[in-house]
């Protein structure tokens, strides 16, 4: 089957889902759910995967975009989690998504806030992380090793750093995905190419071991999808469908800084958080000129919102922390937008590594994932992080379908992972990989589609998303197939182009 997702395919696959009994029903189409759909479908199982909203609507689009080797987990003694992260990072860099994931440099400025003894300890940690890289098989040409830079070189890479008192910087490298939502789209489309039915705007109302009651959110129709196994991959919302699952949601906020707010930033920054032993704020320059800065780790109490808001207290905290390393403090006017995501951290004694997890901070909870089976037979996968989505998906399918053949996804290329044609513009190649030429063909066929909408994104990319990436409305186009919507004024300016793309013949 082809990998294209669109409104027409959704309609006929909804009809099929009403009539058939599938081997696996996956609920939730973030990274883990889309990964589970691909894992099961690539094993030859019949699959239906549903989401109440859109691909990557929840936590998966609000990440720091890091595909990391788990250095932080080494520092807290979680060697298994760190190793798993390094192995999964290697798979993404080398085999499954080399068009979306690449190495990126990060500086940890050696200011007065970083004593010499701490700098020595941090460099030792970086070298341990590099040993994990080597053990996982990632070649140094894809992920260079750490080094120490003189102050002059550090300032060349990050001119906005405060020169006074700067002793230099520690340079490290880690993986980063160009866009977390695009990774989810690639997963879902690859699953579709293997026969999975990818059904967005299809809300699961109740789960059982043999299927689910669902509602088509576009028509209001309710019906049953019958399945031999059911996987709940709804992340932070998992407990709403499987009450036996106990989670402690944590909110992570990022700022979107205006282009130029930090000058010509050529590397990311790790800025120590005052009073914390091994926590850092992240500063992440983007290809479109924006800069993301994060990230908080605060417990969320009460109802879980579909789209969490970034409180002003988080904004002020991040501006203050990042400003400690800068020559010019950031102001609220430098912030073009903000976003927050919710981590589905597991709060059960047998799956949490932190000794004080029952009453401690969410920052201290383990990022290890858990696969749980409810009394009704529903398999739920929770915890973890973006980097390890593939292993989480594999473990969930193993638990739900113990008689199936083994997973095949560790080296299964995602849509777009093939060779890129010579002459392809770099920005398109980084977002579409081997499909970039097809996006360019749309522009050649209709030159009006080459018109930029925002951030260099063209009308052709919006049309491509409607025809092939399952975009059904303007929100899908502006908030997930692209990230124009992260800045409200950019979103407003691009709304007409999104509506035109939905109506394009």
């Amino acid at each position: 089957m082809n990998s294209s997702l669109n409104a027409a395919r959704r309609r006929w696959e909804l009809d099929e889902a009403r009539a058939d009994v599938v081997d696996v029903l996956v609920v939730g189409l973030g990274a883990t759910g889309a990964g589970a759909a691909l894992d099961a479908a690539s094993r030859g199982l019949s699959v239906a995967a549903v989401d109440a909203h859109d691909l990557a609507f929840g936590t998966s689009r609000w990440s720091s975009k890091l595909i990391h080797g788990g250095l932080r987990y080494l520092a807290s003694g979680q060697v298994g989690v760190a190793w798993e992260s390094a192995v999964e990072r290697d798979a993404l860099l080398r085999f499954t998504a080399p068009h979306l994931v690449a190495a990126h440099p990060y500086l940890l400025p050696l200011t007065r806030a970083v004593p010499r003894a701490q700098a020595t300890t941090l460099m030792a940690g970086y070298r341990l992380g590099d040993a994990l890289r080597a053990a996982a098989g990632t070649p140094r040409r894809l992920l260079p090793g750490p080094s120490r830079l003189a102050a002059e070189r550090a300032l060349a890479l990050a001119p906005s750093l405060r020169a006074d008192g700067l002793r230099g910087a520690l340079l490290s490298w880690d993986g980063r995905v160009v866009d977390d939502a695009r990774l989810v789209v690639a997963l879902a489309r690859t699953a579709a190419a293997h026969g999975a039915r990818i059904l967005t705007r299809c809300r699961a109302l109740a789960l059982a071991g043999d299927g689910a009651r669902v509602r088509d959110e576009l028509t209001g129709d309710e019906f049953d999808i019958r399945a031999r196994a059911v996987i709940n991959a709804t992340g932070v919302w998992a407990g709403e469908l499987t009450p036996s699952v106990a989670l402690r949601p944590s909110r992570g906020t990022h700022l979107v800084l205006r282009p130029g707010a930090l000058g010509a930033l050529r590397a990311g920054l790790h800025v120590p958080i005052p009073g914390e032993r091994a926590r850092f704020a992240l500063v992440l320059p983007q290809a479109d000129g924006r800069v993301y800065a994060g990230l908080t780790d605060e417990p969320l109490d009460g109802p879980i919102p579909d789209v969490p808001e970034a409180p002003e207290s988080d904004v002020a905290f991040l501006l203050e922390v990042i400003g400690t390393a800068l020559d010019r403090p950031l102001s609220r006017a430098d912030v073009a937008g903000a976003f927050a995501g919710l981590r589905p951290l597991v709060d059960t004694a047998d799956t949490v590594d932190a000794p004080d997890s029952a009453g401690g901070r969410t920052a201290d909870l383990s990022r290890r994932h858990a696969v749980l089976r409810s009394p009704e037979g529903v398999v739920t996968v929770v915890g973890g992080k973006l980097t390890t989505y593939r292993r989480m998906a594999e473990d969930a399918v193993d638990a739900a379908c113990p008689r199936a053949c083994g997973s095949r996804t560790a080296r299964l290329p995602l849509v777009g992972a093939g060779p890129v044609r010579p002459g392809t513009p770099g920005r398109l190649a980084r977002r579409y990989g081997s499909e970039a030429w097809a996006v360019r063909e749309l522009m050649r066929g209709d030159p009006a589609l080459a018109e930029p909408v925002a951030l260099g994104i063209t009308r052709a990319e919006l049309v491509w998303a409607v025809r092939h990436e399952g975009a059904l409305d303007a929100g899908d186009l502006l908030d997930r197939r692209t990230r124009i919507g992260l800045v409200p004024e950019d979103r407003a300016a691009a709304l007409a182009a999104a509506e035109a793309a939905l109506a394009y013949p």
Side-chain angles (χ1 to χ4, degrees):
M1 298 184 68
N2 70 54
S3 66
S4 295
L5 297 174
N6 48 53
R9 180 169 181 170
R10 177 185 178 277
R11 284 193 296 272
W12 60 262
E13 290 194 332
L14 266 176
D15 290 339
E16 291 182 344
R18 293 171 184 260
D20 295 347
V21 179
V22 295
D23 292 321
V24 183
L25 170 63
V26 179
V27 182
L29 280 167
T32 304
L38 172 57
D39 189 283
S42 63
R43 300 189 198 202
L45 302 173
S46 58
V47 177
V50 302
D51 194 283
H53 301 286
D54 182 29
L55 304 175
F57 185 87
T59 300
S60 294
R61 63 169 160 150
W62 303 127
S63 78
S64 292
K65 319 297 181 278
L66 296 181
I67 301 296
H68 61 84
L71 181 60
R72 174 183 170 188
Y73 311 121
L74 277 180
S76 60
Q78 299 178 51
V79 178
V81 178
W83 169 248
E84 185 176 88
S85 297
V87 169
E88 294 305 319
R89 179 184 62 186
D90 178 70
L92 284 159
L93 282 168
R94 288 207 290 160
F95 304 113
T96 61
H99 59 308
L100 296 175
V101 178
H104 192 79
Y106 298 89
L107 296 181
L108 195 159
L110 298 177
T111 65
R112 294 186 181 95
V114 184
R116 295 181 187 276
Q118 184 184 13
T120 300
T121 301
L122 288 167
M123 178 55 82
Y126 286 151
R127 296 199 186 284
L128 281 174
D130 191 51
L132 276 181
R133 169 207 60 78
T138 309
R140 185 155 280 172
R141 62 179 174 80
L142 289 182
L143 199 65
S147 60
R148 179 163 179 162
L149 304 182
E152 181 181 17
R153 178 59 176 155
L155 289 167
L157 292 173
S160 56
L161 288 176
R162 182 181 297 140
D164 182 35
L166 186 68
R167 307 191 309 273
L170 303 183
L171 173 66
S172 62
W173 293 78
D174 217 336
R176 191 174 73 168
V177 62
V178 65
D179 186 334
D180 43 12
R182 291 208 62 75
L183 176 62
V184 177
V185 171
L187 286 165
R189 290 186 58 206
T190 310
H194 283 80
R197 295 166 184 152
I198 305 298
L199 305 173
T200 59
R201 306 304 198 284
C202 191
R203 181 182 297 273
L205 304 174
L207 303 185
D210 60 354
R213 184 72 176 173
V214 303
R215 181 175 65 225
D216 182 348
E217 295 290 74
L218 297 184
T219 65
D221 290 344
E222 294 186 12
F223 58 96
D224 294 322
I225 295 180
R226 296 170 294 161
R228 298 178 182 89
V230 177
I231 296 174
N232 178 1
T234 54
V236 74
W237 297 273
E240 296 179 3
L241 289 170
T242 309
S244 60
V245 174
L247 298 174
R248 289 188 64 196
S250 164
R251 184 187 67 242
T253 295
H254 289 83
L255 309 181
V256 182
L257 302 177
R258 300 185 188 280
L262 293 179
L265 190 60
R266 297 167 56 196
L269 300 177
H270 291 155
V271 181
I273 296 177
E276 297 282 353
R277 182 174 62 88
R279 287 187 62 210
F280 302 88
L282 304 175
V283 178
L284 305 162
Q286 305 297 304
D288 58 21
R290 295 169 171 173
V291 177
Y292 298 162
L295 126 118
T296 61
D297 196 332
E298 299 295 331
L300 178 78
D301 298 317
I304 301 172
D306 284 344
V307 180
E309 294 185 359
E312 280 298 318
S313 58
D314 283 7
V315 174
F317 169 79
L318 289 169
L319 289 175
E320 181 180 359
V321 170
I322 294 163
T324 62
L326 303 179
D327 184 53
R328 179 187 70 85
L330 294 170
S331 71
R332 188 62 177 83
D334 293 314
V335 180
F339 60 91
L342 300 178
R343 307 175 186 90
L345 303 181
V346 185
D347 190 17
T348 55
D350 59 337
T351 54
V352 175
D353 294 334
D356 60 343
S357 62
R361 307 178 309 164
T362 52
D364 295 326
L365 289 179
S366 172
R367 267 49 175 178
R368 185 183 300 279
H369 66 273
V371 177
L372 311 168
R373 184 181 295 274
S374 74
E376 299 78 23
V378 175
V379 170
T380 298
V381 55
V382 287
K385 52 196 178 298
L386 181 66
T387 304
T388 58
Y389 81 85
R390 193 207 63 81
R391 179 58 186 273
M392 294 170 66
E394 176 184 336
D395 289 351
V397 176
D398 283 347
C401 306
R403 295 183 179 85
C405 66
S407 177
R408 300 174 176 176
T409 55
R411 298 196 176 192
L412 180 64
L414 302 184
V415 165
V420 176
R421 293 192 179 188
T424 301
R427 194 192 67 81
L428 288 180
R430 287 188 295 271
R431 295 182 63 81
Y432 297 93
S434 60
E435 291 191 321
W437 67 271
V439 179
R440 291 199 75 190
E441 286 299 308
L442 285 177
M443 302 180 204
R444 292 190 180 101
D446 182 352
L449 295 182
E451 178 186 341
V453 175
L455 307 174
I457 294 166
T458 63
R459 291 178 179 270
E461 292 167 73
L462 302 183
V463 171
W464 177 266
V466 174
R467 291 181 177 180
H468 302 287
E469 295 179 346
L472 300 179
D473 65 18
D476 295 353
L477 290 171
L478 300 179
D479 300 332
R480 290 168 290 279
R481 303 309 180 275
T482 71
R483 310 315 290 272
I484 293 172
L486 288 176
V487 175
E489 54 261 41
D490 290 346
R491 193 182 198 283
L495 185 58
E499 297 289 357
L502 292 164
Y504 191 82

